[in-house]
C-alpha cells in the first residue's frame, strides 16, 4: 500500500480498505473521497490548465468503446491472428512521482509554455502529489508512493508517464513482436498479434521490462473471443464482431420504477443502456440480444409496459447515420509509432 501512520498515531486500521473481488489474491485499495482535501480545487485547476497548454498526443489511446469499435474495422484481420489483453497492476500507486515531474517539465518546454507558467505548474504539481493523506478511525494516513486514486489530476499525471514510456519503447516492441495493433484505455491494453511471429508470453515479458514500476498481467482470447472494456470482441475469419459484455457479477438491479426517486433518476440507467445500444455499431443479432436484455431489466424493475415501449429502437437507417457521422483515425504501431511527439502550440 505504501502508507504509514502519522507520528501522532500508533496503528493503521485497514478496515476501510475495499477488497477488489475480481482481481487475483483479492488485493485491497483505499476508497478515499478527495473532495474535502486541501489540494482538491488546485488539482482540478491544474488539470484544466495543463490540458489547454500542453495537450498530450494520445497516439495509441482509445477514447472509449465506441472509438475502439470503429478502429477495429480498420484493423487488418487474418484467420490465425490472436488477441490478448494486458492489465497494468495497481497503476496509480506505482506511478513514479519524481520521474514523472521531470517528464512533465519537458512536456511544458516542448509546448513552448512560458517559463513563469512552467514554474507555477511545477509548484502546483509538487503540492498536489504531496497531499496524499487521509484519515480513518482517527488515524492520519499518508500514501508515501504514487498518486492518490481520488485526485482529479491523477489520470492526467499517469498519462504523462505512460505516454512517455510508450513513446520510448513501443516502436521497438511492436517491430520485435510484429504487433498488428495496440489499443490502451488507461491501464487496460488490447493487443492483436500474429502468433507466427510471437507469442503472448514473449510479449508479456517485453512489457514487463518497460519500467521497474510497471508490472503487467495478460489474458489470452478464448474461442476467438476476448472481453475488453464493456464489449466482447469476436474474431471471425473475415471481420471483427462485437457484443455488449457484462461481468459474471452483473445483476439487473437498477432504481425500481416503484421507488420514490425523481423520475429522471429512475430513467437515467435506461437512457444510458439505450444510448449505448444505438451508439455501438453492433451486428443485427447482437443488437437484438442487447435490446432484449434491456427490456428484461426494465421488466424486472417494475417499469410499466408503456414506459418500456416508449424506449423504442431507432430504425436501421438512423442507426447507420449515427455510426457514420465521424470517421476516426487509426494507428498501426509498427508503421506510425515514430510520429508520437508533442507539437508546440
Amino acid at each position: 500500500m505504501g502508507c504509514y501512520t502519522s507520528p501522532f498515531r500508533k496503528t493503521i486500521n485497514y478496515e476501510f480498505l475495499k477488497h477488489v473481488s475480481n482481481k487475483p489474491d483479492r488485493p485491497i485499495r483505499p476508497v478515499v473521497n478527495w473532495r474535502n482535501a486541501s489540494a482538491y480545487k488546485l488539482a482540478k485547476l491544474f488539470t484544466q490548465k495543463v490540458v489547454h497548454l500542453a495537450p498530450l498526443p494520445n497516439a495509441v489511446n482509445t477514447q472509449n468503446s465506441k472509438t475502439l469499435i470503429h478502429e477495429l474495422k480498420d484493423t487488418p484481420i487474418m484467420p490465425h491472428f490472436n488477441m490478448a489483453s494486458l492489465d497494468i497492476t495497481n497503476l496509480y500507486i506505482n506511478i513514479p512521482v519524481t520521474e514523472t515531474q521531470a517528464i512533465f517539465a519537458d512536456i511544458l518546454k516542448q509546448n513552448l509554455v512560458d517559463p513563469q507558467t512552467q514554474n507555477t505548474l511545477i509548484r502546483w504539481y509538487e503540492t498536489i502529489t504531496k497531499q496524499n493523506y487521509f484519515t480513518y478511525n482517527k488515524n492520519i494516513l499518508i500514501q508515501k508512493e504514487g498518486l492518490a486514486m481520488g485526485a482529479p489530476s491523477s489520470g492526467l499525471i499517469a498519462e504523462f508517464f505512460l505516454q512517455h514510456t510508450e513513446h520510448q519503447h513501443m516502436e521497438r516492441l511492436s517491430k520485435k513482436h510484429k504487433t498488428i495493433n495496440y489499443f490502451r484505455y488507461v491501464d487496460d491494453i488490447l493487443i492483436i498479434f500474429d502468433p507466427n511471429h510471437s507469442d503472448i508470453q514473449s510479449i508479456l515479458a517485453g512489457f514487463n521490462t518497460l519500467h521497474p514500476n510497471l508490472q503487467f498481467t495478460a489474458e489470452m482470447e478464448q474461442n476467438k473471443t476476448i472481453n475488453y472494456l464493456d464489449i466482447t470482441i469476436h474474431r471471425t475469419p473475415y471481420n471483427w464482431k462485437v457484443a455488449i459484455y457484462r461481468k459474471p457479477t452483473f445483476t439487473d438491479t437498477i432504481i425500481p420504477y416503484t421507488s420514490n426517486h425523481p423520475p429522471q433518476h429512475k430513467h437515467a440507467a435506461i437512457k444510458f443502456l439505450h444510448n449505448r445500444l444505438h451508439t455501438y455499431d453492433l451486428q443485427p443479432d447482437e443488437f437484438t440480444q442487447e435490446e432484449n436484455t434491456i427490456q428484461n431489466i426494465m421488466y424486472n424493475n417494475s417499469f410499466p409496459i408503456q414506459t418500456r415501449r416508449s424506449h423504442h429502437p431507432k430504425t436501421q437507417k438512423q442507426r447507420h447515420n449515427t455510426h457514420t457521422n465521424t470517421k476516426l483515425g487509426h494507428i498501426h504501431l509498427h508503421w506510425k509509432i515514430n510520429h508520437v511527439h508533442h507539437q508546440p502550440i
Side-chain angles (χ1 to χ4, degrees):
M1 285 297 302
C3 296
Y4 70 94
T5 54
S6 161
F8 304 106
R9 306 292 176 186
K10 294 182 179 180
T11 60
I12 301 179
N13 190 327
Y14 286 102
E15 292 177 359
F16 76 103
L17 298 174
K18 179 182 179 182
H19 284 281
V20 185
S21 58
N22 64 326
K23 300 295 183 181
D25 303 322
R26 293 180 64 85
I28 51 180
R29 295 176 180 173
V31 180
V32 180
N33 181 3
W34 235 66
R35 288 185 176 273
N36 294 325
S38 56
Y40 177 76
K41 291 183 179 179
L42 180 62
K44 288 188 67 176
L45 181 61
F46 171 85
T47 303
Q48 295 168 1
K49 294 292 185 182
V50 172
V51 167
H52 173 69
L53 293 172
L56 288 167
N58 297 317
V60 294
N61 300 59
T62 186
Q63 296 178 6
N64 48 46
S65 298
K66 177 185 174 182
T67 62
L68 175 63
I69 293 170
H70 280 275
E71 290 167 348
L72 279 172
K73 287 185 174 182
D74 294 329
T75 301
I77 187 170
M78 294 291 288
H80 64 282
F81 283 176
N82 280 180
M83 299 180 290
S85 64
L86 302 182
D87 181 72
I88 305 174
T89 304
N90 298 326
L91 172 62
Y92 282 0
I93 65 172
N94 285 303
I95 296 295
V97 173
T98 302
E99 182 180 343
T100 305
Q101 179 176 331
I103 295 170
F104 174 52
D106 187 55
I107 291 173
L108 294 177
K109 292 178 182 177
Q110 291 181 25
N111 282 274
L112 304 181
V113 178
D114 67 88
Q116 183 177 355
T117 303
Q118 289 184 39
N119 293 334
T120 299
L121 291 175
I122 291 296
R123 289 199 304 271
W124 289 4
Y125 178 98
E126 293 173 346
T127 300
I128 293 165
T129 54
K130 291 178 181 178
Q131 292 289 318
N132 293 351
Y133 64 86
F134 49 95
T135 61
Y136 174 75
N137 199 22
K138 299 182 179 180
N139 290 324
I140 301 174
L141 309 179
I142 299 178
Q143 182 178 320
K144 295 167 59 178
E145 302 168 354
L147 303 172
M149 291 183 66
S153 55
S154 293
L156 179 63
I157 295 174
E159 281 297 322
F160 295 153
F161 175 70
L162 290 176
Q163 294 195 31
H164 172 79
T165 303
E166 287 169 334
H167 174 61
Q168 296 284 75
H169 300 286
M170 284 310 303
E171 182 180 13
R172 172 181 58 82
L173 284 179
S174 181
K175 289 180 178 179
K176 178 180 179 180
H177 298 289
K178 301 295 190 294
T179 304
I180 307 302
N181 216 331
Y182 169 100
F183 309 93
R184 179 174 61 81
Y185 183 82
V186 190
D187 59 349
D188 292 318
I189 297 169
L190 174 66
I191 289 183
I192 300 169
F193 65 97
D194 187 340
N196 292 332
H197 297 288
S198 189
D199 61 84
I200 188 56
Q201 294 305 319
S202 299
I203 293 173
L204 180 61
F207 271 83
N208 279 327
T209 63
L210 294 181
H211 192 278
N213 284 38
L214 295 181
Q215 290 299 306
F216 296 79
T217 58
E219 180 179 344
M220 273 294 296
E221 65 175 48
Q222 299 292 329
N223 299 320
K224 302 180 181 180
T225 298
I226 197 166
N227 301 317
Y228 183 72
L229 303 182
D230 63 340
I231 60 175
T232 296
I233 305 170
H234 178 69
R235 175 174 55 82
T236 75
Y238 308 105
N239 62 2
W240 309 94
K241 295 178 64 177
V242 297
I244 302 297
Y245 169 67
R246 290 178 171 85
K247 292 184 178 181
T249 54
F250 163 78
T251 67
D252 59 6
T253 302
I254 59 175
I255 298 177
Y257 187 82
T258 55
S259 73
N260 291 324
H261 286 74
Q264 60 268 33
H265 292 182
K266 292 186 283 189
H267 287 273
I270 301 301
K271 288 182 178 179
F272 161 75
L273 294 173
H274 276 279
N275 180 66
R276 180 171 65 174
L277 173 66
H278 298 298
T279 299
Y280 291 7
D281 194 1
L282 305 178
Q283 297 291 328
D285 290 346
E286 284 73 21
F287 183 93
T288 301
Q289 178 181 344
E290 177 62 15
E291 188 176 33
N292 291 336
T293 299
I294 296 172
Q295 291 296 316
N296 288 335
I297 291 173
M298 297 178 71
Y299 174 82
N300 292 334
N301 287 274
S302 304
F303 281 74
I305 294 177
Q306 60 270 27
T307 303
R308 300 201 300 270
R309 288 176 177 172
S310 67
H311 294 278
H312 57 82
K314 294 182 180 179
T315 64
Q316 183 69 28
K317 181 178 180 179
Q318 287 174 315
R319 286 192 282 118
H320 176 76
N321 290 339
T322 300
H323 300 319
T324 56
N325 282 340
T326 304
K327 180 65 177 176
L328 297 170
H330 173 67
I331 292 176
H332 294 278
L333 285 181
H334 53 287
W335 295 339
K336 297 185 179 180
I337 190 66
N338 57 311
H339 294 305
V340 179
H341 63 282
H342 301 280
Q343 291 286 356
I345 58 173

